[in-house]
Amino acid sequence: MSTISPVTTTAATSTAQAGTSDQGALLSSDFQVFLKMLTTQARNQDPLNPMDSSDYAQQLATFSGVEQQVRTNTLLESLAAQLGGGGLTQYAPWVGMEARVTAPVSFDGAPLTLYLSPVSGADRADLVTLDSAGNEVARYTAPVGTGSIVWAGTDATGQSLPSGTYSFRLEGYSGDTLIGATAVESYARINEVRSDQAGTVFTLDSGAEVTVNDIGALRAAG
């Protein structure tokens, strides 16, 4: 392991449910309208020239089909809700663990391990540190290749940064020209898991929220 002040480097290494609900409400409305039309037709038909029995049977079959569709949609909504609850049960053990994400992370003075993804074609890289407001507070030369960095939490003068929420990006340069930037991953503690319209959402100790697709790895806290 080599040292590059002030960081140490390691070598390279649910919208569907809402749609179902709207459809069910529409079918339920159509069902009520159809029922009113059918009863009004039966009540006001000419007794001397009653409705043909085959037509009446066909309308009753249609009535039954609409009723069954409403019940099916209600059942699907109930099933979707049960599956959503099952997702919470599945992810509940993740609370208290640490997730590897590119979201902002909480810094309390202890060094953080950052995981870098290189910018293709870059011959130089800078690690940029941003505070909770998105302001740049530090910039250091970083390895060009993939690897991990132990971030000491200091600014460009070597002074310790205050505790708070920070995020990072890796800028790649060709000569003096910026050619791209990549997100930087770090581990953050999962404080809460919940289910909403976006699916299963995890709240981190920094206050950031991520989905399961945003989590690159998981480990025990410590």
Side-chain angles (χ1 to χ4, degrees), residues 99-123:
R100 184 166 151 176
V101 294
T102 58
V105 293
S106 181
F107 171 67
D108 60 3
L112 299 176
T113 301
L114 309 179
Y115 299 86
L116 310 180
S117 297
V119 177
S120 178
D123 54 32

Side-chain angles (χ1 to χ4, degrees), residues 177-212:
T177 303
L178 175 66
I179 60 174
T182 58
V184 176
E185 293 183 323
S186 56
Y187 278 96
R189 179 186 173 91
I190 297 174
N191 281 352
E192 179 188 56
V193 57
R194 73 175 191 276
S195 181
D196 62 17
Q197 292 183 351
T200 303
V201 177
F202 302 87
T203 302
L204 308 178
D205 56 0
S206 64
E209 295 184 344
V210 297
T211 67
V212 66

Side-chain angles (χ1 to χ4, degrees), residues 8 16 63 89 141 157 163 166 168 187 193 202 204 208 216:
T8 304
F63 175 87
T89 301
T141 300
T157 65
S163 297
Y166 294 91
F168 309 89
Y187 278 96
V193 57
F202 302 87
L204 308 178

Side-chain angles (χ1 to χ4, degrees), residues 28 47 70 80 86 127 132 152 176 179:
S28 180
V70 171
L127 174 67
S132 59
D176 293 328
I179 60 174

Side-chain angles (χ1 to χ4, degrees), residues 35-184:
L35 177 60
K36 290 180 180 179
M37 291 176 61
L38 186 62
T39 54
T40 300
Q41 178 179 279
R43 186 169 54 249
N44 296 295
Q45 64 178 320
D46 185 353
L48 300 178
N49 184 26
M51 184 191 311
D52 184 84
S53 59
S54 61
D55 292 340
Y56 193 71
Q58 183 177 2
Q59 292 186 16
L60 284 177
T62 303
F63 175 87
S64 178
V66 174
E67 181 182 24
Q68 289 298 321
Q69 186 63 50
V70 171
R71 290 180 177 177
T72 298
N73 282 356
T74 301
L75 179 61
L76 288 174
E77 290 176 10
S78 176
L79 181 60
Q82 292 177 15
L83 290 175
L88 286 181
T89 301
Q90 175 186 354
Y91 295 117
W94 291 22
V95 175
M97 301 186 72
E98 294 179 341
R100 184 166 151 176
V101 294
T102 58
V105 293
S106 181
F107 171 67
D108 60 3
L112 299 176
T113 301
L114 309 179
Y115 299 86
L116 310 180
S117 297
V119 177
S120 178
D123 54 32
R124 180 173 67 84
D126 283 355
L127 174 67
V128 181
T129 304
L130 308 171
D131 64 15
S132 59
N135 300 314
E136 181 178 321
V137 294
R139 176 182 292 265
Y140 308 111
T141 300
V144 175
T146 301
S148 61
I149 291 179
V150 178
W151 180 70
T154 57
D155 60 20
T157 65
Q159 297 296 314
S160 296
L161 292 169
S163 297
T165 301
Y166 294 91
S167 57
F168 309 89
R169 69 170 179 262
L170 185 68
E171 295 182 350
Y173 292 83
S174 176
D176 293 328
T177 303
L178 175 66
I179 60 174
T182 58
V184 176

